[in-house]
Amino acid sequence: MSVLLCGSYAYDTIMVFPDKFKNHIIPDKVHILNVSFLVPQMRREFGGCAGNIAYNLQLLGGSPLPMATVGADFGPYAEWMDRHGISRRHIKVIDGTYTGQAFITTDMDDNQITAFHPGAMGEAHQQLVSEAEGVSIGIVSPDGRDGMIQHAEQFAAAGIPFIFDPGQGMPMFDGNDLNRFIDQATYATLNDYEAQLLCERTGKSLEELASNLQALIVTLGGEGSRIYTGGKCIEIPPARISEANDPTGCGDAYRAGLLYGLEKGLDWETTGRIAALCGAIKIEQYGTQNHHFTMDEFKARYQESFGSAF
């Protein structure tokens, strides 16, 4: 049985400006802003929510089956997926488009200027959940608006449990959209800021939202996470880290841990800790798919962080 990952694939071009944006922007002239930043450091990373989740779930020994639409420039990413044994069965190339692209410039104050081109991601609705066979659980993560809506409907119609993960896609949906997602989903996961937005837009508290789900998971960065399930709140502690180098992609790594635990039928206390450790391992490395571990190494770190085995 497979875990169907509906979401984005993207290239992340990350640049570092060795100065501060504020030194080059005149506050009372922002209405005629015309700036150029010299960026001697640049790297290109493989990214996108479905791509990142698939990579982490594959490391855990899960069975990821990503479903996404990509552009004619996807070749290098396809080779990367093949090298790591990740299925491309439901990766659809849309001719005449680019794969999603994020261009991120960071200054010395850790401020960021980002431009995102969705490209082929906007055609995600061309993919159908019914085309994937042997699916035991799924996730609807940030993607094209129509794709997210239709994939949630298709999971619900097929009776396949799935996680709703609005993430950066939250601004695309109003309160009615979000309430419909919650009614269709089996689980939902958000960071603390997204959870606050969800409450504001739906007019419901976290406890009310959780009552319509088997579990509502809220991540709190370095403070751990909370899992609202069965009328109670389970506090998940953060895993130990050696150094916090790059938080980009930590949420996706966490979601891979959730899917692994659900796929294996583990309890929420264990599942939450596995997810927390996935995020911790990722934050120690730059980029979203540059970390590596074996399951023996993962289990040893789990024991070290939480004082028990799983």
Side-chain angles (χ1 to χ4, degrees), residues 9-71:
Y9 269 74
Y11 289 112
D12 297 332
T13 300
I14 302 167
M15 296 158 282
V16 178
F17 177 52
D19 199 339
K20 300 177 181 180
F21 295 141
K22 66 182 181 182
N23 295 337
H24 301 269
I25 297 174
I26 302 172
D28 61 355
K29 298 293 184 181
V30 293
H31 61 293
I32 53 170
L33 189 65
N34 188 349
V35 295
S36 176
F37 302 110
L38 180 66
V39 287
Q41 295 183 48
M42 186 183 86
R43 68 181 194 272
R44 194 186 198 202
E45 303 283 359
F46 299 117
C49 295
N52 295 338
I53 296 170
Y55 178 80
N56 285 279
L57 189 53
Q58 186 76 7
L59 287 178
L60 286 167
S63 50
L65 187 61
M67 176 173 279
T69 45
V70 300

Side-chain angles (χ1 to χ4, degrees), residues 161 185-188 209-216 227-231 262 268:
T186 318
Y187 320 95
L209 292 165
S211 69
N212 287 336
L213 298 159
Q214 288 190 24
L216 173 63
I227 300 177
Y228 298 83
T229 182
L262 290 168
W268 281 112

Side-chain angles (χ1 to χ4, degrees), residues 96-235:
T97 68
Y98 289 105
T99 301
Q101 312 267 336
F103 300 91
I104 305 164
T105 304
T106 304
D107 74 357
M108 293 297 98
D109 281 339
D110 284 333
N111 295 309
Q112 289 187 335
I113 297 174
T114 300
F116 183 74
H117 173 65
M121 196 176 80
E123 301 299 320
H125 56 279
Q126 293 192 28
Q127 300 272 58
L128 303 176
V129 167
S130 60
E131 294 174 348
E133 298 179 354
V135 175
S136 59
I137 189 170
I139 186 169
V140 174
S141 59
D143 209 349
R145 172 183 162 82
D146 291 345
M148 292 181 71
I149 290 171
Q150 292 181 29
H151 292 153
E153 292 173 347
Q154 292 161 9
F155 273 125
I160 299 172
F162 75 96
I163 298 174
F164 172 51
D165 169 27
Q168 309 98 308
M170 181 79 78
M172 296 188 293
F173 306 109
D174 61 20
N176 291 330
D177 295 326
L178 293 167
N179 274 315
R180 186 167 58 250
F181 277 122
I182 294 298
D183 288 341
Q184 293 166 336
T186 318
Y187 320 95
T189 183
L190 313 94
N191 63 30
D192 51 348
Y193 179 74
E194 293 159 357
Q196 183 177 342
L197 283 179
L198 182 66
C199 290
E200 290 176 359
R201 292 188 181 179
T202 59
K204 296 177 181 177
S205 67
L206 286 177
E207 290 75 16
E208 289 175 310
L209 292 165
S211 69
N212 287 336
L213 298 159
Q214 288 190 24
L216 173 63
I217 302 99
V218 179
T219 58
L220 307 168
E223 297 178 12
S225 53
R226 296 190 180 111
I227 300 177
Y228 298 83
T229 182
K232 62 181 180 178
C233 177
I234 301 171
E235 298 281 347

